[in-house]
Amino acid sequence: MTTTEAAAEVTPETAETTGHEHGVHGYHKQKDEHLKRLRRIEGQIRGLQRMVDEDVYCIDILTQVSASTKALQSFALQLLEEHLRHCVADAATKGGDEIEAKVEEATKAIARMMRT
């Protein structure tokens, strides 16, 4: 994680100051499924650590890195879709400046995802 990304990271402590509310988020209905998926990705990362520790062949490790990266990208895309369907759609019904802010926020998130 770069310094810029770390500074942009939203934590519970910074959420209120950045305008992110502690309410029901777009991913709420699938929270358990998301956590299960993230635990599986965490297991893949631990597997990478084991592979390096056991001096596994470089290409085999790179293959696993690719699979782990793809899993994270897939998770991020699903989370983005849920954000658009819930948070952005909710802002659109409210109208005003809120929709502009949510669209800008989503656009910046997409740009960050494309840089990775």
Side-chain angles (χ1 to χ4, degrees):
M1 180 178 296
T2 65
T3 306
T4 305
E5 291 168 329
E9 186 176 1
V10 177
T11 63
E13 294 79 28
T14 62
E16 289 183 35
T17 60
T18 59
H20 299 285
E21 301 150 9
H22 293 286
V24 175
H25 299 290
Y27 61 83
H28 178 74
K29 292 180 182 176
Q30 295 186 7
K31 188 175 181 176
D32 290 339
E33 294 161 19
H34 287 320
L35 289 171
K36 181 178 177 183
R37 192 172 187 183
L38 287 169
R39 285 185 198 103
R40 191 168 39 247
I41 293 168
E42 182 181 24
Q44 287 179 295
I45 303 305
R46 281 200 204 104
L48 282 167
Q49 292 171 334
R50 269 191 308 278
M51 292 173 83
V52 170
D53 186 49
E54 295 169 2
D55 295 319
V56 172
Y57 185 58
C58 304
I59 297 301
D60 293 339
I61 296 171
L62 288 169
T63 300
Q64 183 62 29
V65 167
S66 179
S68 300
T69 301
K70 190 74 167 171
L72 272 173
Q73 288 172 338
S74 177
F75 172 76
L77 187 59
Q78 184 175 4
L79 200 61
L80 177 63
E81 180 182 356
E82 291 167 357
H83 176 70
L84 293 172
R85 290 185 186 279
H86 181 267
C87 303
V88 176
D90 184 56
T93 60
K94 292 177 181 174
D97 292 340
E98 191 169 345
I99 182 62
E100 293 300 322
K102 289 294 181 185
V103 168
E104 182 179 348
E105 181 182 60
T107 301
K108 287 178 180 178
I110 292 166
R112 283 191 302 273
M113 286 174 56
M114 291 179 69
R115 284 193 299 260
T116 59

